[in-house]
Each structure stands twice: as C-alpha cells, then as structure tokens.
Amino acid sequence: MADNGDDDSQYRIKQGDYVVLKRENIFKAVQIQPKKKVIFEKQWFFLDGAVGHFYSTTFEIVSGALQLQKLKNTDSFTDAKEAGTDNRNIVDDGKSQKLTRDDIEDLKEKGLEGQEIIQHLIDNSSTFKDKTEYAQDKYIKKKKKKYENTVMIVRPSCRILAMMYHGREPGKICHLRYDTLAQMLTLANIHAGSKVLVFDTCAGLVLGAIMERMGGYGSVIQMYPGGEPVRAGTESFGFPAHFHDMLHGFPICRVNALLAGTLDTTAKDPSTDVKQSNMAAEDGRQQPEAEQPEAEQQDSPQEKSMETSSGADGGHDREKEEKEKRREAKAQERLVKLEEKRKKLAAAAALLEGRNADGLVIASRFHPCPVLMGLLPFLAPSRPFVVYSQYKEPLIECYNKLKEHGGAVSLRLTDTWLRHYQVLPNRTHPLLLMSGGGGYLLSGTTVATDRAKPAGSQRAEEPAPKRLKLTDTEG
Amino acid sequence: MSFVEYSDFIQDGDVAIIYLGHDSLMPVKVQQGAQTQTRYGVIRHSTDLIGQRYGSKVTCSKGGWVHVLHPTPELWTVSLPHRTQILYTTDIATITMMLELKPGSVVCESGTGSGSLSHAILRTIAPTGHLHTVEFHQQRAEKVAEEFKEHRVDHLVTVRNQDVCQDGFGVSGVADAVFLDIPCPWDAVRHAKTAMKRQGGRVCSFSPCIEQVQRTCEALADQGFEEISTVEVLLRVHDVRTVSLPLPDFGPDPSAQTEPDAAEKTGPVQTSVSLKTTTPPREIPGHTGYLTFATKPRT
C-alpha cells in the first residue's frame, strides 16, 4: 500500500491513450481524444469522463457521459430468495410480464439505470418466483445483457486485442484465433533481443503481438505487400515511442532484388544522416561522400525564400513568390519524405542482408508457399519459423516443398481446438458454442543446407545407405 | 548460448539439442573431451560440436548424421529429463498469452516440477523480468536450480523450496502474474493474491480434474478475483502423406465402344489416383488439463 503516486500514474487513463472498451466478452479498441464520440454496443458516449481514472474501472453511461459506477452490482437482485424446483406449472401464456413495451420505454426515458429496470422486470414477472434458482440466474443474465449501460475501460494487450479481432472482425485477420496466435508466438520463440521477420496481413495484429513479446529489445522487420504496411492493429497496442525504433519495413516486391544482390537503395541525393552514412559505409554499395553539402542545400531554399518574401514589396511579385515558395516547400517536403523512405529501406535491407534473422512469422491472405520459400533464406540456421494459413491445403504444399528443398527439420502441421467451460455450482459443462476453426500452422526449425556448409570432407565420408535411412525418419 | 539469447556457434559449456530425427531429440551438455553416444554412433564434442555453427549437420562415427540445434524452451520441453508430469508447448503458449507475459513481467509459479514452463516464462520475461518459483520437493528444487544455472538464466529466477499452500511464494505485492500447477490450487489462491501487485494482475491454474476447477473457481471468486474463465486447448497434429486411392473397374463402357477411336485415345486405364493430404495420428492426447484464468482487480 506504500506505492507512491508516480508509480500509480502509469495505471491511469490519459488523453491520447489507446484503450479498449469492454462489456462482458465484447471489446472495442479506441483512442482517448477530447470530445470524441464513440458508439459501443448500440450506445453512444464521450470518453472525456474516463481521463484520470485507473485502468479496469467500470463506468456508467449517463446521457452520453462516462461516470464512475456507483455500486458494484453482484447479484443484488431479489432479496427474497424464493425459487421453484421445476417447471411443471409454468405455462407460456405470454402474459407473465406485466410491464408493457411502452412501460419499459418509459423507464428508460426516465433515465433509470439498467439494474433498476431489471429489478422492475423481475418484480412484474409473475413466473419469476416459480422459476428454479438456475433459471432465475439465467433470466437476470439475459436482461443484464440487454439493459446494462456500463462499460469497462481496459489497457490493450495482445490477449485482449486478439480476442477483440477474433470476435469483431475475423475476416480482417484471416480468422486467426487467439489461441493460434499464442501458439505462433511460442513456436517462433519470440523474445527480447532477437531479429524477427514478419509477413502480416492480419491488420498488424501479429506484428503487434510480436512487438509486445520483444518489449522494445531487438528488431522486427515487417515484409509488406503493396505500397505501405498495414498497421492499424499494431497501433491499438499503444506502444511507447521507443518501440517503433525497433520496427522496420521492407516491401516484399524488392525481395528478389535483395536476394540477387541487385537492390539499389542509393537515391539521387545521398544520405544526410551521419548514423545512416555509417550504416551505408558498412553496406558498401552506397555513396555517403557528398552528405555535408547536401545537408546544407536541403535547409537553404526555405531560408532563401523567406528572405526574399520579406524583402519583396510589389503585391504582384509577392503573390507570385508566395506561390513559388509554397511549391518549393511542397517539393522539399516530398524530397525529405522520399529521403526518409529511402533511408528506412536501406536500414531494413542492411538488417536482412546478413541473412541471420532469428525467427520468421508468416500470417497472410497470400499463398504461403512462395512467401515461405522467399523469406526462409534470410534466416540463420537453427532458428524457428511458423506459417499461418486459414486453410490446410497450402500448408501441405509448403511441407512437401520444404521436404524436397531441405534446410528445415522438425516440420509439423498442426491446429488447436479451444473449448470454453461454464463453471458454476452444479452447472459445469463446456459452452454450447465453440469456434469452428482457428486456422492451421506449419512450424519448423532451419538447419544449414549442404551448399552452405564448408566442411565438405565430412559429407564425403558418409555412406549413402545410412543417409537414406535417416532421411526417412526425418520429420 | 543461453535460453534467452541466441548465439551462432557452439561453445564449451553450452547445452545443445541433438536432433536425431522426427520427434527424437536429445539434450547434450557440451564439454571439451566428452563424447555422446547416439544410435548413429558417437559424437566427439571437441571436434564435432565445439566451434561448429548451431544448425550444422554432424557426422557420427557410424556414418549417420544428426543436426545440432540451438536450445529453445520448446526444444527443451520435448527433450528434458522428466522428474514430474510436465506442461507441453500447447498449454504453455496459451498460458503465456493469457497471463499477458512480456519482457519485464514478474511472475510467481508453483510447483516448479521439471521446469518445462519455467524455461518458457524466463524466455518471455527476459531481460528485465523475474520468476519466483516454489517447489516443495527439495531434490527437484535443487535439480531445477542447477539447470537454470547451466542454461544461463539463473539471474532471472529465484527457486524457493517451500510449501506454497502454507508458506506462499515468499514475496508479496510484486507479481504481475501467478501460475499454479499443484494438486489443491484453492489452498494457494490467497497466497497468489498476496504475491500480486496492488495494481492487479493475472492468474492461471492448471488442473486435470473438473472438481479441482470447481473448487478453484469458488476460491477465486471468494478472494475477489474477476473475469474467471476456464478453457481447454487441444493440439491436433496432421501427418502429411501422399495417399493413393484405387479406382474401381466398371468393366467396358458400351457407350464408349460405339466410338472406337475415342477409346483408343484415352490410352491405358488409370487404376488409382494419388493425392497429397494429411491423416490424424492413430492416437492423440485427448486431455491435459483445464486452464482457469482470472484477473486480480486493483486493491
């Protein structure tokens, strides 16, 4: 209890935080912004009231505003614990509820809390007292779901976001179920300090999960299709700024060039950054020489134009110059952006070039086979890889291709079943509904290929029959 | 090598995993001058292992070869010497995510058992987290502490030899997560609460029997834990095969006979179709244990 305030401040909801709204098992990721209206479970409200409160606080929605929940409602319904033993005398005549639809609407209009409305419903139900204890529980639960107006604000985590995406938008994450994602992180031995390759078209959820497990230590190279990587899901994690220093992007359309050694990360105007030039020097295929003059040039046009604009007197001239200035600034901005992009590409290429990555994770809507075969060469030997696919057949193809190609051992094609249980006194059983499928995984470990192995003499000594025999047993 | 950091080359004192073939792995303590017998012959550490790259193919004395792999918690789990029943990767993966473990997490665990889960926790919480693990069996506690040292993760873990149900975890107010794999977890729930941070955290209990789950859930609710949920995760392995399905012979087709040219064109009759598919193993583990998760609220 002796924690100081400083320690606690990180547990409070702040302006700009990425948070997750929660009610029962329904989640929604949002960012806390002033006067931001959100709609969650058919109710709209502003998030401003949450700022300053602790995470995992439950709020009540009172006419569009969030207020601290006054009372913790844990089975405070019906003081008289009266219950029937069976339903032999309960008849469905459609008249057991004495409140009409209009009455209920009235109660809602009056701004009654969900809990109070439920109490009214119970009081006006003629059959409630005859229901069994279990049926009463079930009734209350159902009504709660309908009338409750509370929302909990929780801190985002891989667990919560993976469950959220699976519940809300499974299509966006190729139906990757959260237990499958959990297997991926473990099978790929994701941990702080390693260098991980990711190909993720699951909204960036897999990328975020990997970044969370690496805690800002090491590096992640996201291989992406198209013009820009998709990272909406990654953003929802709300990682601190320094986590982004470890994140690199590399367009998958440049992989062939990189593998062939023909990738040209040298732009027309060479690097301006000292650190970058060091990296470029190591790279050996860039020209960092002309960096200083370029840097000066980059800054100067703006200054120049400012001087001229302040010195100009003719209105016409001025307008013209303003236009010129704007155009120049825009061009300049574009140049800077291009330069940024080029630098990032060069940095990612430098990381890949060592071909010594520590892990590979693929989870995409693309055919996994070419992706796997194209990215596997970037892995060091004795490193794990894992490929996700919503369908089993393409992974069978990957498996056969790897067997043929070599360079990997302990290949396994798996999937997991996830079963949830209701655990209540005398009412414990598996939940009636379970997820039909959470996708399939192919995992394995890279090994040195014969070609890459310098000690050729050893191989020559091998008697052929033994080798064949062993190949058979290899998994 | 270390279980929390990759290295490229095998060194004296490392633990390497010898991959002998499908589902056949063997951990080896690498020592100058030592030898290891495998079914493919002997491996001489000084020449065959030390200085070699992890992932290399090593030729054994009888001419067969094996691969030497860098240790990971997952490889360790399938090759470690059992002193108890252990947790396997499928459950470990689920536990790790649902407990929200990451670098820096402080975790309490009991019992340590053979250390299968412990290694996975240590990998995930390194380099800034810490594991407090409690094992009431003295010999097991000593053995696992020795292993942590050999695996160069001892700086991340404290092993306590005590009874968690009576004495708790030996820490209070520090844990982000607690994991229980003991016969009567309900007796340890209050200790779990004590061990956890005031700001809250996650707890998981692993039990094979539903009666244990019932009592644990009751204890968790009594102690004010929220978000109590019980799940079971089962792994299905698919053996990749090429199978051949014979085609039945329906005898000569009279309609085809009217056009003798066409019949000739089809050539020899195909008698089977081969396809690449998967088959389930003959037997699979049908149950390991129920995983009960809960959240400790802020207190």
Side-chain angles (χ1 to χ4, degrees):
Chain A
M1 299 295 146
D3 293 64
N4 53 37
D6 284 339
D7 193 23
D8 256 1
S9 67
Q10 57 168 323
Y11 294 92
R12 287 184 193 274
I13 300 162
K14 285 184 288 296
Q15 205 64 256
D17 276 5
Y18 288 89
V19 304
V20 179
L21 311 177
K22 174 181 189 287
R23 181 183 298 160
E24 299 283 316
N25 289 318
I26 298 156
F27 300 94
K28 180 175 182 156
V30 292
Q31 191 183 13
I32 300 273
Q33 281 165 346
K35 304 234 169 71
K36 182 172 172 172
K37 185 175 171 179
V38 296
I39 295 168
F40 179 57
E41 287 296 284
K42 292 178 186 162
Q43 276 171 310
W44 64 266
F45 47 91
F46 293 95
L47 294 166
D48 303 64
V51 175
H53 290 289
F54 288 117
Y55 274 101
S56 301
T57 302
T58 304
F59 297 93
E60 268 168 45
I61 301 162
V62 182
S63 53
L66 290 181
Q67 288 177 6
L68 266 189
Q69 192 184 31
K70 273 169 261 153
L71 58 155
K72 271 211 169 168
N73 50 339
T74 41
D75 304 310
S76 58
F77 298 103
T78 58
D79 327 291
K81 272 283 177 197
E82 210 181 310
T85 49
D86 57 43
N87 59 9
R88 74 181 75 191
N89 294 319
I90 296 181
V91 183
D92 184 10
D93 55 3
K95 293 180 210 153
S96 56
Q97 181 54 255
K98 284 185 216 90
L99 290 182
T100 64
R101 176 184 282 273
D102 292 339
D103 292 337
I104 297 168
E105 284 303 318
D106 274 353
L107 290 175
K108 275 202 214 167
E109 294 274 296
K110 272 192 246 166
L112 242 64
E113 275 167 38
Q115 205 172 347
E116 293 169 298
I117 296 177
I118 298 166
Q119 189 63 59
H120 275 283
L121 288 169
I122 292 170
D123 292 345
N124 288 289
S125 165
S126 57
T127 50
F128 187 85
K129 286 189 171 67
D130 299 328
K131 285 179 194 273
T132 63
E133 208 181 307
Y134 307 133
Q136 288 180 353
D137 266 6
K138 216 168 162 182
Y139 180 87
I140 291 170
K141 234 184 176 167
K142 236 166 109 181
K143 296 298 168 200
K144 250 178 150 177
K145 211 171 168 185
K146 191 160 176 193
Y147 294 103
E148 207 160 49
N149 57 347
T150 60
V151 57
M152 191 192 256
I153 297 189
V154 299
R155 198 190 277 282
S157 69
C158 173
R159 168 179 75 99
I160 283 165
L161 292 173
M163 286 168 76
M164 178 191 86
Y165 267 105
H166 184 254
R168 288 180 87 86
E169 304 174 298
K172 274 196 181 164
I173 55 165
C174 309
H175 293 259
L176 168 68
R177 214 207 285 125
Y178 40 94
D179 55 311
T180 312
L181 176 60
Q183 304 302 318
M184 292 171 75
L185 297 168
T186 298
L187 290 172
N189 191 23
I190 302 298
H191 64 278
S194 36
K195 185 201 279 191
V196 181
L197 289 192
V198 192
F199 184 64
D200 167 8
T201 65
C202 296
L205 172 71
V206 177
L207 176 69
I210 289 169
M211 286 170 72
E212 181 182 283
R213 285 288 178 89
M214 293 179 65
Y217 304 93
S219 46
V220 183
I221 306 135
Q222 184 188 14
M223 317 296 290
Y224 59 87
E228 289 291 326
V230 176
R231 290 174 184 166
T234 317
E235 215 155 81
S236 298
F237 281 81
F239 291 128
H242 74 269
F243 273 49
H244 293 277
D245 299 342
M246 70 186 283
L247 178 57
H248 303 266
F250 190 85
I252 200 134
C253 61
R254 310 287 282 270
V255 164
N256 275 339
L258 185 66
L259 283 171
T262 57
L263 180 75
D264 187 16
T265 54
T266 328
K268 281 111 222 155
D269 43 330
S271 162
T272 53
D273 188 81
V274 180
K275 192 174 136 211
Q276 177 59 31
S277 77
N278 288 342
M279 204 184 293
E282 275 170 28
D283 203 328
R285 287 194 287 113
Q286 290 175 342
Q287 308 139 12
E289 287 84 27
E291 67 185 78
Q292 275 325 92
E294 280 294 328
E296 276 163 36
Q297 244 179 39
Q298 280 209 345
D299 288 338
S300 54
Q302 237 168 343
E303 281 169 36
K304 232 187 275 169
S305 62
M306 245 187 272
E307 276 167 38
T308 43
S309 69
S310 61
D313 43 4
H316 187 72
D317 269 2
R318 198 189 179 110
E319 203 177 289
K320 207 173 166 189
E321 261 172 47
E322 287 267 316
K323 220 180 207 171
E324 186 80 355
K325 196 183 104 186
R326 267 202 301 273
R327 218 187 54 201
E328 219 165 285
K330 225 180 222 168
Q332 195 62 39
E333 208 176 285
R334 215 172 35 231
L335 259 176
V336 169
K337 260 193 192 147
L338 261 171
E339 177 64 13
E340 264 315 283
K341 212 172 166 186
R342 189 195 65 73
K343 258 194 248 169
K344 278 185 186 158
L345 182 73
L351 279 171
L352 288 169
E353 225 141 49
R355 301 197 180 194
N356 58 355
D358 296 318
L360 169 64
V361 178
I362 297 168
S364 81
R365 61 192 155 82
F366 291 89
H367 196 304
C369 204
V371 183
L372 177 63
M373 299 318 282
L375 298 184
L376 217 50
F378 294 110
L379 245 62
S382 194
R383 298 294 188 269
F385 60 88
V386 55
V387 190
Y388 169 82
S389 173
Q390 189 182 345
Y391 314 102
K392 190 169 68 172
E393 288 71 16
L395 294 182
I396 294 177
E397 201 181 321
C398 286
Y399 183 100
N400 287 319
K401 191 104 186 209
L402 276 175
K403 279 282 180 191
E404 206 179 286
H405 184 263
V409 295
S410 62
L411 295 180
R412 288 236 285 186
L413 178 48
T414 59
D415 75 328
T416 44
W417 271 347
L418 179 69
R419 192 156 207 178
H420 282 264
Y421 285 81
Q422 166 179 302
V423 181
L424 289 169
N426 297 319
R427 281 161 293 163
T428 297
H429 57 69
L431 286 197
L432 300 182
L433 273 178
M434 66 187 271
S435 158
Y440 297 85
L441 295 177
L442 176 69
S443 59
T445 305
T446 57
V447 290
T449 48
D450 285 340
R451 260 166 289 132
K453 202 171 168 250
S457 58
Q458 268 187 348
R459 271 193 299 133
E461 286 162 21
E462 274 175 49
K466 282 280 178 193
R467 197 186 331 185
L468 281 176
K469 201 171 164 190
L470 202 70
T471 319
D472 281 346
T473 61
E474 221 170 342
Chain B
M1 75 95 227
S2 134
F3 272 66
V4 296
E5 207 174 338
Y6 281 118
S7 43
D8 291 334
F9 297 96
I10 305 166
Q11 286 177 306
D12 194 10
D14 279 6
V15 171
I17 310 286
I18 309 287
Y19 180 84
L20 295 156
H22 183 62
D23 279 350
S24 175
L25 297 110
M26 188 164 96
V28 168
K29 208 191 296 178
V30 179
Q31 279 171 311
Q32 196 80 45
Q35 296 190 347
T36 299
Q37 287 292 338
T38 73
R39 66 179 124 112
Y40 303 115
V42 73
I43 297 172
R44 291 182 179 81
H45 294 198
S46 312
T47 53
D48 295 338
L49 297 181
I50 296 172
Q52 298 290 324
R53 209 183 163 93
Y54 278 109
S56 303
K57 200 185 262 183
V58 169
T59 309
C60 307
S61 63
K62 285 185 196 164
W65 44 255
V66 297
H67 279 110
V68 191
L69 302 181
H70 195 286
T72 65
E74 288 61 53
L75 292 174
W76 180 245
T77 287
V78 291
S79 61
L80 60 81
H82 283 217
R83 297 179 287 271
T84 57
Q85 181 66 257
I86 65 162
L87 280 167
Y88 288 96
T89 298
T90 312
D91 285 318
I92 290 173
T94 312
I95 292 162
T96 310
M97 182 199 264
M98 299 307 266
L99 285 183
E100 304 190 338
L101 304 188
K102 55 189 177 204
S105 296
V106 176
V107 186
C108 288
E109 175 203 35
S110 188
T112 320
S114 304
S116 173
L117 175 68
S118 317
H119 280 80
I121 294 175
L122 290 167
R123 174 266 315 276
T124 306
I125 64 174
T128 49
H130 199 88
L131 172 66
H132 298 273
T133 187
V134 173
E135 170 61 52
F136 68 176
H137 190 286
Q138 192 192 340
Q139 210 184 350
R140 275 185 224 148
E142 282 165 8
K143 188 71 198 150
V144 86
E146 201 180 295
E147 277 171 2
F148 289 142
K149 199 159 194 158
E150 266 173 28
H151 299 165
R152 296 173 195 144
V153 290
D154 50 321
H155 58 295
L156 296 165
V157 54
T158 309
V159 184
R160 289 182 177 84
N161 178 211
Q162 59 193 41
D163 184 350
V164 73
C165 294
Q166 273 158 35
D167 316 316
F169 290 95
V171 287
S172 68
V174 299
D176 298 287
V178 173
F179 176 79
L180 296 169
D181 178 9
I182 52 173
C184 29
W186 52 89
D187 283 335
V189 165
R190 64 195 171 93
H191 295 299
K193 196 178 174 186
T194 309
M196 294 174 85
K197 280 184 180 158
R198 186 172 69 88
Q199 289 87 354
R202 296 276 295 166
V203 62
C204 173
S205 170
F206 174 95
S207 296
C209 305
I210 202 72
E211 291 81 1
Q212 293 170 301
V213 174
Q214 296 257 16
R215 292 189 69 173
T216 308
C217 285
E218 256 174 72
L220 285 167
D222 285 348
Q223 291 288 330
F225 282 84
E226 293 170 354
E227 239 189 313
I228 302 168
S229 105
T230 300
V231 299
E232 186 180 20
V233 186
L234 277 181
L235 182 74
R236 294 206 306 165
V237 177
H238 306 268
D239 290 333
V240 181
R241 290 280 158 80
T242 304
V243 298
S244 168
L245 303 178
L247 295 170
D249 180 11
F250 286 100
D253 186 348
S255 65
Q257 272 179 353
T258 56
E259 284 178 65
D261 284 0
E264 264 169 45
K265 268 179 203 156
T266 50
V269 188
Q270 208 184 355
T271 57
S272 70
V273 170
S274 87
L275 71 149
K276 287 171 171 149
T277 183
T278 65
T279 56
R282 209 171 60 85
E283 273 186 325
I284 57 162
H287 179 65
T288 54
Y290 301 103
L291 295 170
T292 299
F293 296 95
T295 301
K296 182 191 125 19
R298 198 186 170 83
T299 42

